[in-house]
């Protein structure tokens, strides 16, 4: 593997240390940071404000782009999926989701995933490797450049969700570093308040996040209202069962500012977790722990060979009505990019129809 330093994963302070080691004035660090994150340049050749010989010396020991765009897929609803490859040839996927108000980029924290959620296609890959901070940031740079053009300012700002492949709380350090780098006003300037991190329920990290001041929003994947069912659907539940998870959620909720809330995600599986009785159990679970979080209901995104089907729209509505009748706010999420395997739980490096050219170009 390339042993060069990946500049995309360095903070401004780390870049300053690097340029001083190379006997260059410290303002060069600011120039590099602005080029990589502000103008989103992907090669040293384009950084014409840096002296040529310095660029050559930099290229010897550092790189700006490590992820290769292997293919891009365009959904009929406008969603774009990027199948990327790391330098060690592992798949990484990111998804660009155009929306009326603010577009959303969904990124991956790991190549594959070690958790074995039974309804998720990514689980079938197993864990290949946790991504670096630079690889996380680069996914967003690639998606922004493709959607808007290289370096072009995003029209209304962009939301990020760590809901791609992998368990973000098993990539905690690189994830938090990537968020710090992306928040820098001289760079992408996407602040934690615009980011949502979704976890399958890594309890110690939920408690840790509760102590972080400048932090992203939190979403917790539930999928079942009882330990019995959750043990089967999400085996991580055997390690951190519902009572422990709910206690950590309560602690997190206590750390929220007035008006802030966190989210539970509940994937709706036909005839598995979607009965009226299960809706009551879910509402009782949240009410018993005095949690005010809202619930996002996500109809299952089917994919061969997953043995599940999405709940019918009527079932979802009935489930939602029961939650609401017990004082739990619930929203139904509209699936995006299902036709190109870009929706939740469908990221598994699949090759599908609707390929765009591999070379990114603006919409
Ligand atoms: N590992 C993290 C983030 C990735 S999964 C987590 O578990 O939260 C992002 C969301 O997609 C989770 O809420 C998960 O439950 C949901 N999901 C997984 N597979 C799905 C599928 N096939 N259809 C719909 N949602 C799915």
């Amino acid at each position: 593997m390339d042993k060069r330093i990946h500049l995309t994963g360095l903070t401004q302070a780390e870049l300053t240390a690097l340029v001083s080691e190379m006997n260059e004035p410290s303002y060069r660090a600011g120039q590099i940071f602005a080029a990589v994150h502000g103008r989103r340049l992907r090669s040293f050749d384009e950084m014409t404000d840096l002296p040529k010989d310095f660029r050559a010396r930099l290229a010897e020991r550092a790189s700006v782009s490590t992820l290769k765009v292997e293919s891009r897929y365009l959904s009929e609803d406008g969603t774009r999926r990027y199948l990327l490859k790391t330098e060690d040839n592992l798949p990484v996927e990111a998804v660009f989701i155009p929306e009326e108000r603010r577009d959303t980029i969904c990124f991956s924290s790991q190549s594959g995933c070690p958790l074995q959620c039974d309804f998720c296609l990514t689980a079938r890959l197993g864990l290949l490797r946790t991504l670096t901070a630079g690889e996380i940031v680069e996914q967003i740079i690639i998606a922004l450049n493709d959607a808007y053009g290289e370096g072009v300012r995003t029209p209304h700002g962009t939301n990020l969700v760590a809901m791609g492949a992998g368990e973000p709380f098993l990539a905690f350090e690189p994830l938090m570093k990537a968020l710090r780098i992306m928040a820098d006003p001289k760079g992408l300037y996407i602040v934690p308040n615009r980011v949502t991190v979704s976890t399958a329920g890594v309890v110690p990290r939920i408690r840790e996040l509760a102590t972080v001041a400048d932090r992203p929003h939190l979403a917790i994947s539930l999928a079942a209202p009882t330990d019995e069912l959750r043990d089967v659907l999400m085996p991580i539940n055997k390690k951190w069962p519902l009572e422990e998870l709910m206690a950590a959620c309560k602690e997190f909720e206590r750390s929220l500012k007035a008006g802030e809330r966190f989210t539970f995600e509940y994937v709706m599986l036909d005839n598995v977790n979607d009965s009226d009785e299960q809706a009551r159990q879910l509402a009782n679970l949240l009410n018993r722990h005095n949690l005010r979080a809202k619930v996002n209901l996500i109809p299952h995104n089917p994919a061969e060979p997953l043995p599940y089907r999405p709940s019918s729209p009527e079932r979802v509505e009935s489930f939602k009505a029961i939650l609401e009748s017990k004082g739990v706010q619930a929203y139904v999420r509209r699936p995006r990019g299902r036709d190109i395997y870009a929706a939740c739980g469908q990221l598994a490096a699949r090759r599908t129809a609707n390929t765009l050219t591999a070379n990114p170009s603006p919409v």
Side-chain angles (χ1 to χ4, degrees), residues 40 72 80 82 96-105 140-160 188 190 360-363:
R40 304 195 301 262
R72 301 183 302 146
R80 287 169 173 233
Y82 306 95
F96 177 84
I97 307 157
E99 275 166 312
E100 252 159 54
R101 288 182 48 199
R102 261 173 207 276
D103 299 329
T104 299
I105 295 170
I140 287 95
I141 290 177
I142 288 170
L144 287 173
N145 282 350
D146 184 55
Y148 306 120
E150 191 170 273
V152 176
R153 270 188 61 176
T154 59
H156 314 286
T158 310
N159 289 329
L160 300 184
L188 294 174
I190 301 175
S361 65
V363 185

Side-chain angles (χ1 to χ4, degrees), residues 119-120 162-164 166-168 198-200 221 265 267 298-301 344-345:
F119 46 81
C120 179
M163 295 188 188
E167 167 50 47
S198 175
T199 179
S221 303
E265 295 156 281
V267 54
I298 315 174
H300 184 251
N301 297 307
C344 287

Side-chain angles (χ1 to χ4, degrees), residues 109 113 115 117 119-121 162-168 197-201 219-223 234 265-269 298-303 306 343-346:
S109 52
C113 184
L115 305 183
C117 302
F119 46 81
C120 179
L121 197 62
M163 295 188 188
E167 167 50 47
V197 174
S198 175
T199 179
I220 307 218
S221 303
L222 267 187
M234 300 181 68
E265 295 156 281
Y266 193 93
V267 54
M268 299 280 297
L269 309 167
I298 315 174
H300 184 251
N301 297 307
L306 299 178
C344 287
Q346 289 188 316

Side-chain angles (χ1 to χ4, degrees), residues 73-80 98 335-340 342 353-354:
Y73 302 96
L74 176 63
S75 163
E76 55 198 25
D77 70 15
T79 299
R80 287 169 173 233
R336 300 291 302 266
R338 265 187 186 169
D339 54 330
I340 53 159
N354 305 332

Side-chain angles (χ1 to χ4, degrees), residues 107-109 131-140 171 174-175 178 182:
F107 64 94
S108 296
S109 52
L131 301 181
T132 63
E135 287 166 336
I136 292 174
V137 177
E138 222 184 306
Q139 292 173 62
I140 287 95
L175 174 74
M182 292 192 287

Side-chain angles (χ1 to χ4, degrees), residues 167-344:
E167 167 50 47
F169 279 0
L170 297 179
F172 199 74
E173 273 98 36
L175 174 74
M176 295 309 273
K177 186 175 188 197
L179 294 185
R180 279 200 305 280
I181 293 170
M182 292 192 287
D184 195 313
K186 295 253 158 47
L188 294 174
Y189 200 12
I190 301 175
V191 295
N193 193 34
R194 300 245 69 95
V195 184
T196 301
V197 174
S198 175
T199 179
V202 180
V203 161
R205 295 304 200 184
I206 296 171
R207 292 187 187 280
E208 187 173 342
L209 195 69
T211 68
V212 175
D214 221 359
R215 66 181 173 213
H217 298 284
L218 180 65
I220 307 218
S221 303
L222 267 187
T226 62
D227 280 324
E228 202 187 357
L229 181 59
R230 199 165 186 267
D231 279 351
V232 176
L233 296 178
M234 300 181 68
I236 191 176
N237 194 66
K238 293 183 199 149
K239 188 155 186 187
W240 291 295
L242 281 172
E243 283 303 306
E244 275 186 51
L245 179 58
M246 293 298 123
C249 289
K250 189 65 209 171
E251 189 177 319
F252 186 81
E253 191 175 87
R254 282 199 203 96
S255 76
L256 291 172
K257 295 193 203 98
E260 274 183 350
R261 288 212 287 171
F262 73 98
T263 312
F264 285 111
E265 295 156 281
Y266 193 93
V267 54
M268 299 280 297
L269 309 167
D270 180 38
N271 249 316
V272 173
N273 66 358
D274 63 351
S275 70
D276 287 352
E277 171 63 14
Q278 285 159 325
R280 283 189 284 274
Q281 287 173 331
L282 176 58
N284 291 344
L285 176 73
L286 303 188
N287 288 335
R288 187 153 44 81
H289 288 89
N290 208 7
L291 289 163
R292 287 172 300 111
K294 59 179 176 160
V295 177
N296 279 344
L297 301 172
I298 315 174
H300 184 251
N301 297 307
E304 281 290 331
L306 299 178
Y308 298 99
R309 289 182 311 271
S311 307
S312 70
E314 299 74 43
R315 192 80 304 278
V316 176
E317 281 310 315
S318 170
F319 197 94
K320 176 174 184 264
I322 291 172
L323 291 180
E324 285 173 340
S325 74
K326 289 178 161 283
V328 175
Q329 270 194 39
Y331 302 86
V332 180
R333 299 308 299 254
R334 187 163 53 108
R336 300 291 302 266
R338 265 187 186 169
D339 54 330
I340 53 159
Y341 277 75
C344 287

